[in-house]
Amino acid sequence: MPSRRRFLTAGVTGAAVLGLGGLLTACGSSGGSGGAGGSGSKPGGGSSPDQKSVKQGGDDYATVIEKMKGFGTDAAPGVYPRTVRHAMGETVIPAKPTRVVVLDTGELDNVVSLGIQPVGVVHTDASKSLPSYLRDKAGDPAAVGTINSLNLEAVAALKPDLILGSQLRAQDQYAQLSKIAPTVFSLRPGYPWKQNFLLNASPFDLQAEAKAQLDAYQAAAAAIGTGLGDKRPTITPLRFMPGRTRLYAELSFIGTIFTDVPLPQPKIEQVKELAVEVSPEQIDKADADWIFYGVYGSPGSTNQDAVFGGALWKTLGAVKSGQARPVSDETWFLGLGVAAANAVLADLKGFVAPGS
């Protein structure tokens, strides 16, 4: 898709438009061109996008929800074994899982939201602890590496009966993981978080519970929109990361929440991509009625101080009006699940629509 990428980049006057490469963290994720099924699985790949297109954007990036329509299970409620279709093919779940290992923040949010305490989790590169908004419900799972550096031996030692992850993050490890336990992968974290929730619920026979939670979220989002009436302020979700500063766009977790309310974003962010990258000298492109900013990792490892100390930041309308506010990075940008989405709605209601 080189011509489309050039057009988008030109359209934001030099700012970098991002697809899925570098999603969520400053680090890369597993590459590779194919995956093989292990015990209880069929090899995937026939109807799934290849790893390059999943990472970098393009048609597969924008149509991922359409591609996920066949994912899940046809098993009747309570029936096991059940077969779950997912990004890498099909996996047989012999009985309701009780020992699940999750390989990303979205899968962690999903299982905890369903009342399940995982036995193993990965951490982000920025934090080696459980997200604070889930800590009281997640139990005490063992660490099995980080999102970008999975420890297969630690996974195997936990003797899981289910592993949940994504093609984007761990396609190269899928064959090995499938030999440890039945493994179910989404295409990618982030933008299709609602579909991922339903997929993650299917091995547990909890699709109805997941749908009920999504319906409640949708109703809460709509209520905020109703409370705003015709007064819809523009909002920029700004994130400081090591080596980059992002304005999150339509095909991101936070972008879907803004769509659901709905709340408009500035024109630069109205692109079918994950995010737009700007330099400190371009921070004026972030201006909106409200700016909500998060920091991945230590602020000192980002250009946050350079931005806040620069002359441009002080000229932004949101800054002048006191409507540039810090928010939790672990919910706004890392949560990727319904619990994080509800936390974001609570923030929006408090700041933007306190009377709704």
Side-chain angles (χ1 to χ4, degrees):
M1 300 290 293
S3 61
R4 179 173 181 264
R5 306 291 290 182
R6 283 197 298 269
F7 172 78
L8 287 174
T9 302
V12 294
T13 322
V17 180
L18 296 186
L20 208 59
L23 174 67
L24 297 180
T25 70
C27 303
S29 53
S30 300
S33 58
S39 176
S41 300
K42 297 180 182 178
S47 61
S48 299
D50 63 35
Q51 184 71 0
K52 182 178 178 181
S53 64
V54 170
K55 279 186 70 174
Q56 295 181 353
D59 288 344
D60 284 326
Y61 187 91
T63 61
V64 63
I65 291 175
E66 181 69 24
K67 294 177 183 298
M68 291 185 67
K69 284 185 176 178
F71 289 7
T73 184
D74 297 325
V79 172
Y80 288 92
R82 57 178 47 207
T83 298
V84 176
R85 298 178 299 277
H86 57 97
M88 302 302 292
E90 296 183 348
T91 294
V92 175
I93 311 296
K96 188 169 185 174
T98 59
R99 297 183 60 82
V100 59
V101 169
V102 293
L103 305 183
D104 208 334
T105 55
E107 285 82 43
L108 175 61
D109 187 305
N110 289 342
V111 299
V112 172
S113 295
L114 293 170
I116 298 160
Q117 294 184 340
V119 297
V121 300
V122 298
H123 294 302
T124 68
D125 295 314
S127 174
K128 300 303 183 286
S129 61
L130 289 171
S132 60
Y133 78 102
L134 296 175
R135 200 168 293 154
D136 63 339
K137 297 180 180 178
D140 188 25
V144 293
T146 68
I147 288 173
N148 295 297
S149 183
L150 182 61
N151 186 329
L152 292 171
E153 291 77 14
V155 174
L158 293 173
K159 301 185 184 304
D161 52 17
L162 177 67
I163 299 169
L164 295 176
S166 71
Q167 181 187 19
L168 172 71
R169 294 298 192 196
Q171 175 173 283
D172 285 356
Q173 288 81 39
Y174 179 77
Q176 294 164 286
L177 290 166
S178 295
K179 292 175 182 177
I180 296 172
T183 300
V184 172
F185 273 10
S186 66
L187 286 171
R188 70 169 196 254
Y191 168 58
W193 64 274
K194 300 171 192 176
Q195 290 73 22
N196 290 349
F197 190 25
L198 294 170
L199 175 64
N200 289 171
S202 60
F204 300 99
D205 191 27
L206 291 173
Q207 303 97 301
E209 171 61 25
K211 185 178 184 305
Q213 291 192 37
L214 290 173
D215 288 346
Y217 154 81
Q218 292 288 166
I224 292 175
T226 300
L228 286 169
D230 295 330
K231 298 178 181 178
R232 305 292 171 100
T234 55
I235 297 182
T236 283
L238 168 67
R239 194 183 194 201
F240 296 104
M241 304 172 68
R244 67 195 73 189
T245 299
R246 286 180 175 171
L247 315 179
Y248 278 74
E250 294 178 1
L251 300 191
S252 66
F253 168 69
I254 196 66
T256 65
I257 297 174
F258 290 167
T259 297
D260 289 338
V261 172
L263 286 165
Q265 294 182 247
K267 188 173 182 180
I268 189 176
E269 299 154 31
Q270 296 175 21
V271 290
K272 300 295 183 184
E273 300 289 346
L274 168 71
V276 177
E277 287 188 357
V278 294
S279 67
E281 295 75 27
Q282 297 171 310
I283 202 63
D284 57 316
K285 297 181 183 297
D287 202 10
D289 294 318
W290 288 85
I291 297 174
F292 294 110
Y293 59 88
V295 182
Y296 180 74
S298 167
S301 67
T302 74
N303 62 17
Q304 178 183 266
D305 289 345
V307 168
F308 288 173
L312 272 182
W313 180 253
K314 299 177 181 65
T315 69
L316 302 188
V319 176
K320 289 180 176 179
S321 64
Q323 294 183 169
R325 302 294 184 90
V327 291
S328 168
D329 194 74
E330 64 183 16
T331 53
W332 278 63
F333 302 106
L334 274 176
L336 308 183
V338 70
N342 284 324
V344 170
L345 289 183
D347 288 343
L348 290 172
K349 183 175 179 179
F351 285 121
V352 178
S356 65

